[in-house]
Amino acid sequence: MVFLKIDGIHHTYFTKNSATTALSDISLEVREGEFVSFLGPSGCGKTTLLSIIAGLIRPTEGTVSLENQPVHKLNNQIGYMLQQDYLFPWKSIKENILLGLKISNSLTEEKEQYAFNLLEQMGLGGFETQYPSQLSGGMRQRVALVRTLATEPKLLMLDEPFSALDFQTKLKLEDLVSDTLKTFGKTAILVTHDIGEAIAMSDRIFLFSPRPGRLHKTFEVPEQLKNLAPFQARNHEAYPELFQSIWKELENIEAK
Amino acid sequence: MKQNNEIELLHQQYITSLRREKIWVRFYQILIFIVFFAGWEVASQNKWIDPLIFSSPSKVGGLLKDKVLDGSLFVDLGYTVTETVFGFLLGTLLGTLLAAILWWSPRLSNILDPYLVILNSMPKVALGPILIVALGPNMTSIIMMGILVSVIITTITVYTSFKNVDPNYLKVLKTFGATRYQLFKEAILPASFPTIISTLKVNVGLSWVGVIVGEFLVSTRGLGYMIIYGFQVFNFTLVLLSLVVIAIFATIMYQLVALLEKILIKNGST
């Protein structure tokens, strides 16, 4: 069954002096429970596409539907995680993780408990009354993940969520996120420019070419890598082969 | 072990040198104070400066004692402080409210932009005579003066801060389906809180200007009235006394707002 359907997306940004086409003719489908990556050099409109999928901007042309519902009519079915944690510094951790529920007026005791359990699973139990400035970068990004998951979104979008972290923290968080999403059976889209991260975490990789952003090629991650945790996948023998073929495609894109 | 002792000793020396520096600074501060007032007194006694115009600390002190004893100082002080407090609080509140309205409607903000610039460059105290004719020579028009001098600059400063809130915070809220009111309440306003508090600090000073000028014009009571009255009857001891009282109370009010800032910001951001 098709879970997320992106059909014929064109998007052009208008300014006083120019009209820039960011995305051109993008069509793809994502199955339920699948983890896919959008990979590509900067300027290929990955973040624009995420904003369109999240229903934050309406595309110039084309439609996006989640379970046959157009996304701009949905509320709180799609979770969005940004490059930095963007925790609200004046809110405690508790207030931060319950923010989504509060905004959508769906804060019940049961859902509050669910959010606290998630925080506990992320190894951050007991931090509820602290403020974001008292936490390290990795901890803050985990809190941001809890905040996104607390509203129980059907689709999770990760916009380079690990890019602002140091390498070690990044590897650890990749494992944690991958494990958490598998446990809850969430469908996820990861935007990244890190080939390794895309291979290690996803089931399928969509490679984009820039100016205007187009879908260049789709890679299927081999079965034996899909079931491994990201850290182990990076050490598997099938990993360098896929890395090489994606690397070559990226070179092709740049040569054009 | 010996090394530890040495570090301990160096640390002690460092602390002592910090303390010594602090004592020197305080010493010079007090010295300036004493030299200024002693110099003023001596110059006035020996007629190096005209005692009729410049008075002397002892005369000002004597008048202060008289006015404290007969209670008349407190009446004037009470009026002026009340007017100033209302002036800067209402000015800040109104300015923030106007900024919120501008943020709410970008079109309105574009329309009003040139008018804000004009109002901001205009000296607001020049509106005093019109205000007094319109509202009557009373406390209301003086408080209005206190508000007028601070409200436009508050609007502009706070609105700029509203616009500069990191759009990614708004993005986070929008993905949760936030309404425009929720964006304002959860991100825009709390993120601008430090700016609003620091505007409050600036407005304390501005409101004193508005209120004193207002009292000059209305001329019935208050510290501004004391100055204008002293000027008209050529009693400069009275003028200088009001100046000293204004300096003291303006400082106290500023410090209170600074204290408020410390308390609020601490709770807000750490």
Side-chain angles (χ1 to χ4, degrees), chain A residues 80 86 90-91 102-103 131, chain B residues 166 168 171 182 186 268 270:
Chain A
Y80 197 128
Y86 287 104
W90 54 85
K91 289 179 187 289
K102 188 182 160 195
I103 293 289
Y131 283 86
Chain B
D166 190 328
N168 282 312
K171 195 170 179 181
Q182 283 172 323
E186 301 292 338
T270 54

Side-chain angles (χ1 to χ4, degrees), chain A residues 47 51 56 75-76 78 80 82 86-91 99-100 102-104 131 133-134 147-148 151 159, chain B residues 165-166 168-179 182-183 185-188 190-191 267-270:
Chain A
T47 300
S51 292
L56 294 178
N75 220 345
N76 258 329
I78 298 175
Y80 197 128
L82 296 118
Y86 287 104
L87 297 178
F88 291 71
W90 54 85
K91 289 179 187 289
L99 185 63
K102 188 182 160 195
I103 293 289
S104 55
Y131 283 86
S133 60
Q134 294 166 291
R147 177 174 69 184
T148 314
T151 54
D159 188 359
Chain B
V165 173
D166 190 328
N168 282 312
Y169 284 117
L170 303 182
K171 195 170 179 181
V172 169
L173 290 171
K174 279 182 196 158
T175 61
F176 291 132
T179 60
Q182 283 172 323
L183 293 183
K185 184 172 147 254
E186 301 292 338
I188 300 285
N267 285 349
S269 65
T270 54

